[in-house]
């Protein structure tokens, strides 16, 4: 029987070294932190850890030893191991040290590195791609659902009178409670969607009257400049999510759950998507401040493509930096021709919009012509999606992801960055801890990957991108 079809009684945790997606070995995170190694050891699993595996994010060998790990050298760590865990994909030399039929569990990005994929197949290495594991079933919090049902209620009159296409929606502030509202509004295709600062004045608003809707949460918004009364006097539509919550929130959430049974798959199971958006937007703002030192950040034109998890992370960061108006684009606004309006004179553009595999390399939301003709000198494009020559990004200038060794390129005077592993920008340790907890849950929690690949859980089956051998 292949070693991968039996329960994994031991795990090898290897150190991140230089590899195709880790030039210079600048990715320092470790896939399992000491406390989580202890959880696995307590579950009866032998865990072998390569010396220095955690030192890049300040976890010592002694901490691993105290949690029951067996420390090994780089030469020993791959030998006769059935399950090998690391964070990024392996170096080509490391693959040569793996045993036929073993399982590699990592962020594989299998289609982005075809030469490595072929080597893994030729060596008969089973590969489970962490980034391809999804919740099964989908899990949604009451908080997220509350935002959705509140926005549904707020938009209902505009669907009734068929005026949705002309509606300008403004969300006052950003919070986890408002996140679901932003997401729901985005996929309802209003004319425009913005997130604005709670301390904005009436004179700074760019949408009033009967074709504008302002959604706010009075639980956290105290209206310092009395804009709500002025908007009401102007005939603008207002919707308070907190008032909705008090009147019918739990009833609406319960009804939503009944009418929307969980789908088979939900979000990525092992992810730091919000942190990816935060880190990318933060780096983009650093570039903008450095290269446009006279720019008034609060009044810069900021555009985010997409309103999913990475887009919301970027939204959180840009909002926290005090930008007064953040344009959030959905499918309607990113369509050919229409996106030009939003990209024109933009200071910072953050792409968080994924495209279907068949569109990658064939359709570009942000084209080279857009950058050349519409964006001012020293503006910034941050791509949170990334790609490679065989798996292109929706940003045409991004032929391949950038790395810490050279995080950006300059095209027609515009700074473009698509870092492979955005949380490496100042969030290594905290994201290593979060990833580690999620990995352990997949191993010994609901999915029970530790039982081998003979009968994989539904969430893991599509993530077996090479094998079974």
């Amino acid at each position: 029987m292949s070693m991968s079809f039996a329960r994994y009684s031991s795990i090898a945790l290897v150190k991140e070294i230089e590899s195709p997606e880790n030039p210079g070995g600048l990715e320092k995170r470790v896939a399992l932190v000491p406390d989580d190694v202890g959880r696995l050891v307590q579950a009866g699993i032998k865990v072998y850890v390569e010396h220095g595996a955690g030192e890049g994010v300040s976890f010592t060998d002694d901490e691993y030893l105290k949690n029951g790990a067996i420390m090994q050298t780089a030469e020993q760590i791959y030998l006769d191991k059935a399950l090998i865990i690391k964070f990024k994909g392996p170096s080509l030399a490391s693959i040569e040290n793996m045993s036929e039929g073993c399982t590699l569990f990592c962020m594989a990005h299998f289609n982005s590195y075809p030469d490595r994929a072929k080597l893994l197949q030729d060596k008969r290495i089973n590969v489970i791609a962490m980034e391809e594991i999804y919740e099964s079933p989908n899990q949604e919090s009451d908080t997220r659902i509350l935002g959705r049902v509140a926005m549904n209620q707020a938009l209902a009159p505009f669907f009734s009178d068929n005026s949705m296409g002309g509606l300008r929606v403004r969300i006052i502030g950003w919070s986890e409670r408002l996140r679901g509202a932003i997401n729901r509004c985005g996929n309802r295709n209003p004319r425009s969607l913005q997130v604005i600062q709670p301390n904005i004045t009436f004179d700074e608003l760019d949408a009033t009257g009967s074709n504008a809707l302002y959604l706010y949460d009075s639980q956290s918004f105290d209206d310092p400049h009395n804009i709500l009364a002025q908007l009401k006097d102007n005939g603008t539509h207002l919707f308070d999510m907190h008032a909705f919550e008090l009147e019918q929130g739990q009833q609406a959430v319960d009804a939503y759950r009944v009418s929307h049974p969980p789908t088979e798959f939900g979000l990525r199971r092992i992810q730091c998507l919000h942190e990816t958006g935060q880190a990318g937007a933060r780096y983009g703002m650093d570039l903008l401040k450095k290269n446009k030192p006279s720019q008034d950040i609060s009044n810069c034109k900021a555009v985010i493509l997409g309103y999913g998890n990475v887009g919301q992370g970027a939204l959180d960061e840009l909002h926290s930096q005090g930008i007064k108006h953040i344009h959030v684009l959905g499918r309607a606004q990113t369509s050919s021709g229409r996106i030009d309006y939003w990209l024109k004179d933009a200071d910072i553009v953050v792409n968080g919009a994924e495209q279907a595999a068949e569109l990658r390399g064939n359709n570009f939301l942000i084209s080279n012509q857009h950058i050349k003709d519409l964006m001012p000198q020293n503006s910034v494009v941050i791509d949170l999606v990334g790609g490679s020559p065989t798996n292109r990004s929706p940003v045409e200038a991004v032929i391949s992801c950038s790395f810490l060794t050279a995080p950006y390129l300059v095209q027609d005077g515009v700074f473009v960055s698509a870092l492979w592993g955005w949380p490496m920008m100042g969030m290594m340790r905290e994201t290593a801890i979060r990833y580690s907890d999620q990995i352990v849950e997949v191993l010994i929690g609901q999915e029970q990957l530790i039982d081998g690949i003979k009968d994989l859980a539904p969430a893991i089956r599509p993530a077996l991108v090479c094998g079974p051998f």
Side-chain angles (χ1 to χ4, degrees), residues 35 53 87 107 114 129 133 135 152 307 334 347 374 384 391 454:
D35 285 350
F87 190 62
M107 295 284 182
I133 300 175
E135 294 172 343
N152 278 345
Y307 41 78
T334 56
D347 295 297
L374 300 178
L384 303 174
N391 195 30
K454 184 178 180 181

Side-chain angles (χ1 to χ4, degrees), residues 290-306:
K290 178 181 177 181
N291 294 292
K292 284 189 175 184
S294 61
Q295 172 73 54
D296 176 3
I297 294 302
S298 67
N299 285 314
C300 75
K301 183 175 180 180
V303 179
I304 297 176
L305 280 63

Side-chain angles (χ1 to χ4, degrees), residues 24-188:
L26 295 174
E27 168 62 86
K28 306 291 187 186
R29 286 175 291 184
V30 64
L32 295 170
V33 302
D35 285 350
D36 289 331
V37 165
R39 291 165 62 191
L40 295 170
V41 171
Q42 288 172 8
I45 302 159
K46 283 185 179 180
V47 183
Y48 297 88
V49 176
E50 183 178 344
H51 285 292
E55 65 186 8
V57 283
S58 302
F59 293 112
T60 66
D61 287 358
D62 281 346
E63 289 178 273
Y64 283 103
L65 283 167
K66 287 174 183 175
N67 279 280
I70 303 164
M71 306 305 296
Q72 289 193 327
T73 65
E75 291 73 30
Q76 296 169 316
I77 196 69
Y78 287 102
L79 299 179
D80 301 319
K81 302 301 193 306
L83 180 61
I84 297 161
I85 297 181
K86 68 188 307 294
F87 190 62
K88 292 277 177 78
S91 68
L92 300 184
S94 298
I95 297 171
E96 298 293 348
N97 296 324
M98 298 178 193
S99 302
E100 180 179 318
C102 75
T103 299
L104 172 65
F105 186 33
C106 66
M107 295 284 182
H109 299 285
F110 205 67
N111 295 324
S112 293
Y113 294 96
D115 291 345
R116 186 174 64 190
K118 184 177 187 307
L119 181 58
L120 287 162
Q121 288 170 329
D122 291 345
K123 286 279 291 182
R124 296 175 63 81
I125 308 295
N126 299 289
V127 180
I128 296 176
M130 289 180 186
E131 74 276 12
E132 298 294 339
I133 300 175
Y134 290 83
E135 294 172 343
S136 183
N138 181 29
Q139 300 167 12
E140 284 204 88
S141 67
D142 280 3
T143 299
R144 194 76 58 89
I145 293 174
L146 174 65
R148 290 187 175 192
V149 295
M151 182 56 80
N152 278 345
Q153 184 84 352
L155 295 178
F158 306 98
F159 277 107
S160 295
D161 65 12
N162 202 30
S163 63
M164 188 67 201
L167 182 66
R168 296 175 292 174
V169 180
R170 304 294 180 259
I171 311 289
I172 303 176
W174 188 93
S175 68
E176 191 61 35
R177 284 165 56 86
L178 290 168
R179 179 186 190 128
I182 294 166
N183 185 276
R184 178 46 50 100
C185 184
N187 61 31
R188 291 299 186 260

Side-chain angles (χ1 to χ4, degrees), residues 13 27-37 39 53-54 56-60 63-64 87 107 130 269-272 275 423 426-442:
L13 173 65
E27 168 62 86
K28 306 291 187 186
R29 286 175 291 184
V30 64
L32 295 170
V33 302
D35 285 350
D36 289 331
V37 165
R39 291 165 62 191
V57 283
S58 302
F59 293 112
T60 66
E63 289 178 273
Y64 283 103
F87 190 62
M107 295 284 182
M130 289 180 186
R269 185 75 166 84
I270 300 174
Q271 52 88 6
C272 283
E275 292 84 350
M427 295 185 179
M428 279 198 185
R429 184 178 167 94
E430 55 264 55
T431 53
I433 292 169
R434 184 171 175 199
Y435 275 122
S436 176
D437 176 68
Q438 295 169 344
I439 289 166
V440 170
E441 285 299 314
V442 168

Side-chain angles (χ1 to χ4, degrees), residues 36 65 148 169 185 199 210 244 250 255 257 263 285 289 342 363 376 404 415:
D36 289 331
L65 283 167
R148 290 187 175 192
V169 180
C185 184
N199 62 354
S210 60
F244 171 79
Q250 193 58 53
R257 288 195 181 279
T263 54
M285 290 301 293
K289 292 170 186 175
W342 304 102
N363 183 63
L404 288 177
F415 290 78

